[in-house]
Structure formats: structure tokens, C-alpha cells
Amino acid sequence: MTEETLLAPFDLAVIRTTAQRNDVEEGVLRDALASHQRAMRENPGVEDLVYEWRKQYDDPVLVRTPERFVLALPPTVWEQYGDHLELDSDVFAALTAVHQEQTVRTAAVDFSAIPDGHTALIVARE
């Protein structure tokens, strides 16, 4: 799977701006985003992940389109991915910021539906 396919849910401008704001090299952030998307697709797969998260959390799906899911997930989910991908704290912060910013810019999300402490997560559907 190509990086372009893995990064399809994200606008280049969002990635670039977020990298600059977080003092992270754009290429490093792109690699982290691609690795994160790949991990969700491979283990155990997007549809299975969303199913599991629906069982664990109170309706985390904010938006569902043929191309992607936008979910609101607690910090524990994000921390697991950060640990699994062995991301530095600055890269991890930029990764989550890209998901948040992309959600603000493109998804028709009712932000009052996001529980306190949860962060938006965008995952491309397979």
C-alpha cells in the first residue's frame, strides 16, 4: 500500500501546517501518519477496529462515509498506538493534531458529541 493511499484522508496543507506548528519535520509526520493508518488496516483491520471500539465506547463513530470513519476515542487508544509505533512525544502530539485539524476542516461533526478528553481519529476505510 502506498503512502499516498494511506494519507488520502488528510490534506497536504493540514499536514504541512501541523508539522510547522509542532516543530516536526513534515516527512517525519507523513511517515507517522502512514504508519498509523497502516497499523489500523493491518491489525485487525478497519471494520474490525470500529466494531470493537463501538462495543467498548459509547458510540464513538462521528462520521461514516464510503472513504473513511471519523471517531472520538479516549487517550488510552491513542497512547496504545503511540507506544506501538514508538513515536516521540512531539511526533505523537503532531499526529493527533493532524487528526483533530482535519476533522475540523472537512468532517461534518457535531463537536458537542465528542466526550471530554476524547480526540478525533480519522481512518480510511479499506
Side-chain angles (χ1 to χ4, degrees):
M1 187 160 310
T2 68
E3 182 178 278
E4 183 177 304
T5 301
L6 293 168
L7 297 180
F10 306 102
D11 294 333
L12 180 58
V14 171
I15 296 170
R16 183 170 292 132
T17 302
T18 303
Q20 291 169 351
R21 287 184 186 155
N22 287 273
D23 198 27
V24 172
E25 289 183 36
E26 183 180 332
V28 171
L29 181 54
R30 290 173 61 88
D31 289 346
L33 284 163
S35 294
H36 181 237
Q37 291 290 310
R38 186 177 296 108
M40 288 187 290
R41 285 176 180 234
E42 293 175 354
N43 187 20
V46 173
E47 300 294 332
D48 290 336
L49 271 177
V50 172
Y51 175 76
E52 287 300 318
W53 288 332
R54 284 184 127 156
K55 288 182 0 184
Q56 287 183 306
Y57 308 110
D58 186 29
D59 197 17
V61 178
L62 301 171
V63 175
R64 178 182 174 180
T65 70
E67 296 82 29
R68 69 190 66 156
F69 284 101
V70 180
L71 304 106
L73 296 170
T76 54
V77 171
W78 280 103
E79 290 163 3
Q80 289 171 357
Y81 278 110
D83 291 345
H84 173 74
L85 298 171
E86 299 178 344
L87 300 175
D88 292 337
S89 61
D90 55 342
V91 176
F92 178 73
L95 174 77
T96 59
V98 167
H99 284 262
Q100 287 290 98
E101 183 63 27
Q102 191 67 56
T103 299
V104 167
R105 289 187 186 204
T106 62
V109 173
D110 174 9
F111 283 92
S112 67
I114 298 177
D116 287 341
H118 284 50
T119 302
L121 180 143
I122 299 171
V123 60
R125 295 183 75 178
E126 298 175 284

